[in-house]
């Protein structure tokens, strides 16, 4: 065979170049995100998720005919899922967790808040007032439950961890409902733990009816003694002082679509960076102008800089070219935001099989990547599509290896695996963001402050502490950055307490095994609450092969 046998015909080259150019114009060239099926059956439909350890996720569903069962035949509603081997450990509960919320408190406990009606046939009690507790540091942990842990019913509430490590629980309705109304609205908040168990009135959740369920809440960065929250529902938002129990500032309306349930969008507080004095910027994307199954989803985002409240106003721009309701918004290890899942038409809620009505249709399979470090107009980039529709009750979260865990989609009132347009989805995907296709080397964290017990339980660190992090890496000229992430509690497109804080690296010193980094922890709980977090060390934007589990302490 001579050399000419290896020559590619000119016409073939032209075809290849043409295809490449077309893909480039479509905005997906050089971005080869990868999807893999981690599991074909999650055991329970993933309505709520929370990362509880470097290799563990708790999956929570309502009480329905899930594929996993107790020995007596009752359906399982919650389990712990092992990311390494797919093992599932059943976590029994007494009450129905349907449409609850959750978050972590200062001692590392995950708290689940609220729920729905009793399911007598399956021996489950009503969960409207329940508080549930689980300690992820215990490998054999089980739920502890207080059926009357809250003084009021909460269905579709939101929760967020405060700067002092307690949980702020807001809103919801008193009973299950498709759209909230004045009769069953619960315009109150409470804090756990607290000596004062009485719910406090919250007028804002009256003013924002009817689309005020799963309100959006972000902890405002600021001075250590500041006690401010950003709260958004429907189209309106306020700055609320949770300690003084009063509104500090009413913000301008975000015109256009409604953004909270059932006209559901999704929100993040963009990465907080010390070089910008932890400037708070909130991004809210998607939703719908009408509570109508045939209404096209919103193709807009709102972005507001809250560093000067007197000048704060919404900047409105296109949502990456793809209308989307019910998106998930995941802050990645490099600080970019991934929007995925959801639909181009319709709203949140169950399909009516009897009347052949889909509450939502036209699933959006392409994620979009948002880079706030780029100029406006160039911040979004469309990525390759998944093949699995993720509609109502879909979830996604970053995990410590830099990938994104994707699960759920249960738009029927009961688990249905076939015979409908969007059956209950039990497959679990892992999505590899573009940074995992980079040729840059990934670091491996070997020790933190001298401890080599990496991810054998959270390593305790203090605020404002300069910690030593030893890494190995093949790159001889690395460019390190560091960040703390809390992945949050995820349900119904609401990523409660999700947070990204960049960390200053003071020194990088080579040693015989790699490098020693001096990484400065955030100054106090208003920047990152005192809860379990994950330290990501990036090289040229590529995350380390596994983030390290830390626990911030005062």
């Amino acid at each position: 065979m001579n050399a000419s046998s290896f020559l590619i015909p000119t016409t073939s080259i032209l075809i290849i170049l043409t295809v490449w150019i077309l893909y480039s114009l479509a905005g997906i060239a050089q971005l080869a995100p990868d999807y893999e099926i981690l599991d074909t059956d999650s055991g329970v439909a993933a309505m709520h998720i929370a990362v509880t350890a470097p290799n563990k996720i708790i999956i929570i569903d309502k009480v329905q005919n899930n594929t996993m069962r107790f020995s007596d035949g009752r359906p399982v509603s919650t389990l712990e899922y092992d990311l390494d081997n797919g093992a599932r450990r059943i976590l029994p509960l007494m009450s129905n967790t349907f449409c609850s919320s959750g978050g972590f408190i200062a001692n590392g406990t995950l708290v689940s808040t609220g729920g729905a009606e009793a399911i007598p046939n399956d021996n489950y009690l009503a969960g409207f007032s329940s508080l549930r507790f689980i300690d992820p540091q215990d490998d054999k942990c089980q739920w502890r439950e207080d059926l009357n842990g809250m003084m009021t019913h909460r269905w579709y509430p939101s929760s967020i961890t405060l700067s002092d490590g307690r949980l702020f629980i807001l809103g919801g309705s008193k009973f299950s409902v498709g759209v909230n109304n004045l009769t069953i609205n619960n315009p109150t908040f409470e804090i756990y733990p607290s000596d004062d168990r009485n719910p406090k009135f919250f007028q804002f959740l009256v003013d924002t009816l009817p689309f005020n369920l799963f309100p959006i809440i972000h902890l405002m960065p600021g001075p250590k003694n500041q006690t401010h929250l950003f709260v958004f529902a429907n189209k309106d938002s306020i700055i609320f002082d949770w300690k003084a129990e009063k509104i500090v500032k009413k913000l301008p309306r975000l015109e256009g679509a409604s953004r909270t349930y059932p006209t559901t969008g999704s929100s993040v507080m963009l990465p907080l960076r010390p070089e910008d004095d932890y400037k708070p910027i909130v991004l809210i994307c998607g939703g719908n102008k009408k509570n109508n199954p045939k209404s096209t989803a919103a193709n807009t985002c709102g972005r507001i800089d809250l560093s000067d409240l007197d000048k704060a106003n919404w900047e409105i721009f296109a949502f990456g070219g793809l209308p989307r309701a019910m998106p998930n918004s995941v802050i990645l290890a490099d600080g970019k935001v991934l929007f995925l899942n959801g639909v181009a038409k319709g709203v949140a809620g169950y399909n009516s099989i009897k009347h052949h009505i889909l509450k939502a249709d036209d699933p959006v399979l392409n994620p979009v990547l948002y880079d706030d470090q780029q100029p406006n107009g160039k911040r979004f980039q469309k990525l390759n599509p998944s093949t699995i529709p993720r509609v109502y009750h879909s979830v996604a979260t970053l995990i410590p290896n830099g990938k994104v865990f994707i699960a759920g989609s249960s738009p029927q009132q009961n688990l249905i695996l076939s015979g409908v347009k969007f059956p209950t989805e039990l497959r679990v995907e892992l999505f590899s963001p573009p940074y995992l296709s980079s040729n840059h080397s990934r670091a491996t964290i070997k020790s933190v402050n001298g401890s080599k017990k990496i991810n054998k339980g959270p390593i305790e660190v203090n605020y404002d502490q300069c910690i030593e992090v030893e890494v190995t890496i093949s790159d001889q000229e690395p460019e390190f950055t560091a960040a703390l992430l809390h992945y949050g509690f995820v349900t119904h497109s609401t990523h409660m307490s999700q947070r990204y804080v960049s960390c200053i690296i003071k020194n990088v010193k080579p040693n015989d095994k790699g490098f020693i980094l001096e990484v400065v922890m955030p100054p106090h709980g208003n920047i990152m609450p005192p809860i379990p977090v994950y330290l990501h060390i990036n090289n040229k934007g590529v995350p380390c092969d596994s983030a390290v589990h830390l626990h911030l302490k005062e």
Side-chain angles (χ1 to χ4, degrees):
M1 185 177 292
N2 57 41
S4 64
S5 302
F6 291 94
L7 296 178
I8 301 175
T10 303
T11 53
S12 298
I13 294 173
L14 289 174
I15 291 171
I16 292 169
L17 287 174
T18 302
V19 171
W20 186 87
I21 291 169
L22 288 173
Y23 270 76
S24 297
L25 292 174
I28 56 178
Q30 302 176 22
L31 290 174
D34 183 39
Y35 300 84
E36 59 183 291
I37 300 297
L38 179 65
D39 204 319
T40 57
D41 184 357
S42 54
V44 301
M47 189 179 295
H48 323 66
I49 55 172
V51 175
T52 52
N55 64 335
K56 301 288 176 61
I57 285 183
I58 285 184
I59 301 176
I60 304 174
D61 190 23
K62 69 171 187 175
V63 178
Q64 64 173 329
N65 56 326
N66 279 304
T67 56
M68 288 196 75
R69 299 272 171 164
F70 293 103
S71 58
D72 62 3
R74 292 189 311 128
V76 173
S77 62
T78 76
L79 56 82
E80 180 186 74
Y81 185 91
D82 192 307
L83 292 167
D84 292 337
N85 56 27
R88 285 158 289 190
R89 187 168 65 89
I90 293 172
L91 300 171
L93 272 177
M94 294 186 291
S95 70
N96 189 4
T97 49
F98 185 27
C99 297
S100 51
S101 66
F104 291 83
I105 56 177
N107 66 2
T109 297
L110 174 63
V111 183
S112 167
T113 62
E117 62 275 351
I119 311 294
N121 290 342
D122 290 317
N123 296 320
Y124 277 90
L125 303 173
F128 287 114
S129 301
S130 289
L131 289 179
R132 309 168 192 89
F133 312 91
I134 195 163
D135 179 6
Q137 297 182 49
D138 179 358
D139 289 340
K140 298 179 181 179
C141 60
Q142 296 289 338
W143 287 108
R144 296 178 291 108
E145 188 163 11
D146 183 350
L147 294 173
N148 298 304
M150 296 185 294
M151 302 302 292
T152 182
H153 283 196
R154 295 192 188 276
W155 188 81
Y156 277 100
S158 287
S159 302
I160 190 168
T161 307
L162 298 172
S163 55
D164 63 3
R166 295 185 297 165
L167 200 64
F168 182 87
I169 308 163
L170 176 65
S173 61
K174 297 174 183 176
F175 298 99
S176 304
V177 67
V179 179
N180 206 5
N181 62 69
L182 189 61
T183 304
I184 62 172
N185 186 34
N186 187 346
T188 68
F189 73 90
E190 54 192 288
I191 295 175
Y192 180 85
S194 175
D195 293 333
D196 184 357
R197 303 297 305 281
N198 295 312
K200 307 297 175 62
F201 182 65
F202 202 78
Q203 178 66 39
F204 178 74
L205 291 182
V206 177
D207 301 337
T208 51
L209 280 167
F211 305 143
N212 67 355
L213 297 175
F214 281 134
I216 293 165
I217 318 172
H218 296 296
L219 175 68
M220 288 287 289
K224 184 176 182 179
N225 61 351
Q226 178 180 283
T227 51
H228 292 176
L229 297 171
F230 169 89
V231 183
F232 181 101
N234 202 336
K235 300 181 182 183
D236 292 310
S237 52
I238 57 173
I239 303 297
F240 181 75
D241 189 320
W242 57 265
K243 188 172 185 179
E245 301 178 11
K246 66 178 183 180
I247 294 175
V248 174
K249 180 76 174 180
K250 183 175 181 180
L251 298 166
R253 171 167 284 191
L254 176 53
E255 298 294 347
S258 298
R259 311 281 179 170
T260 46
Y261 188 92
T263 52
T264 303
S266 193
S267 175
V268 295
M269 178 168 278
L270 293 174
L272 299 171
R273 298 182 169 92
E275 62 268 26
D276 293 332
D277 197 25
Y278 303 107
K279 179 189 292 187
I281 300 175
V282 169
L283 178 68
I284 302 177
C285 292
N288 208 314
K289 287 186 176 181
K290 299 177 182 179
N291 181 27
N292 187 318
K294 298 186 181 301
S295 177
T296 300
N299 182 24
T300 59
C301 296
R303 180 180 181 273
I304 189 166
D305 183 341
L306 300 169
S307 55
D308 184 342
L309 295 181
D310 291 330
K311 296 180 181 179
N313 208 347
W314 291 98
E315 170 194 359
I316 301 176
F317 49 89
F319 188 9
L322 297 171
R324 197 182 310 242
M326 298 183 287
N328 286 105
S329 51
V330 178
I331 308 178
L332 300 177
D334 62 356
K336 296 174 184 177
V337 182
L338 182 74
F339 289 93
L340 70 166
N341 301 338
V343 296
K345 183 170 69 177
V347 293
Y350 280 134
N351 298 333
S352 173
I353 297 175
K354 181 179 178 180
H355 298 99
H356 305 287
I357 296 173
L358 294 176
K359 269 296 187 76
D361 203 351
D362 297 344
V364 183
L365 299 176
N366 290 86
V368 292
L369 195 60
Y370 178 87
D371 184 357
D372 195 54
Q373 300 298 289
Q374 296 297 320
N376 193 12
K378 297 183 178 180
R379 291 174 180 159
F380 277 108
Q381 199 153 18
K382 185 170 69 172
L383 305 183
N384 286 337
S386 170
T387 58
I388 300 177
R390 303 282 184 181
V391 294
Y392 187 44
H393 291 149
S394 299
V395 290
T397 183
L398 186 70
I399 55 177
N401 65 5
K403 295 183 180 182
V404 177
F405 178 97
I406 308 169
S409 186
S410 54
Q412 279 75 234
Q413 288 189 351
N414 293 297
L415 186 138
I416 298 177
L417 299 178
S418 63
V420 293
K421 185 169 185 179
F422 300 118
T424 305
E425 186 56 70
L426 297 178
R427 286 174 291 178
V428 177
E429 289 175 283
L430 288 183
F431 170 80
S432 294
Y435 51 51
L436 295 181
S437 298
S438 169
N439 291 324
H440 296 309
S441 301
R442 302 181 72 181
T444 299
I445 300 175
K446 304 302 289 186
S447 70
V448 174
N449 270 357
S451 173
K452 297 183 182 297
K453 294 182 178 180
I454 300 300
N455 291 339
K456 303 296 183 183
I459 297 172
E460 292 189 3
V461 295
N462 297 321
Y463 285 108
D464 223 14
Q465 181 182 5
C466 186
I467 65 173
E468 281 197 350
V469 181
E470 180 186 359
V471 303
T472 57
I473 190 169
S474 60
D475 191 339
Q476 297 303 304
E477 296 182 355
E479 298 173 13
F480 291 121
T481 56
L484 290 184
L485 279 82
H486 181 67
Y487 305 138
F489 181 97
V490 185
T491 187
H492 291 76
S493 303
T494 311
H495 293 244
M496 303 173 193
S497 300
Q498 180 182 208
R499 204 166 181 87
Y500 185 111
V501 177
S502 293
C503 298
I504 295 170
I505 298 178
K506 293 180 67 173
N507 291 298
V508 178
K509 302 174 184 177
N511 68 2
D512 58 346
K513 298 179 181 178
F515 296 86
I516 300 290
L517 288 62
E518 294 181 359
V519 182
V520 182
M521 293 295 96
H524 51 73
N526 265 328
I527 306 304
M528 179 68 85
I531 48 178
V533 294
Y534 289 85
L535 172 65
H536 288 258
I537 300 294
N538 301 329
N539 172 41
K540 299 170 184 172
V542 179
C544 52
D545 52 17
S546 180
V548 172
H549 198 191
L550 305 179
H551 194 163
L552 275 170
K553 297 275 190 175
E554 289 285 359

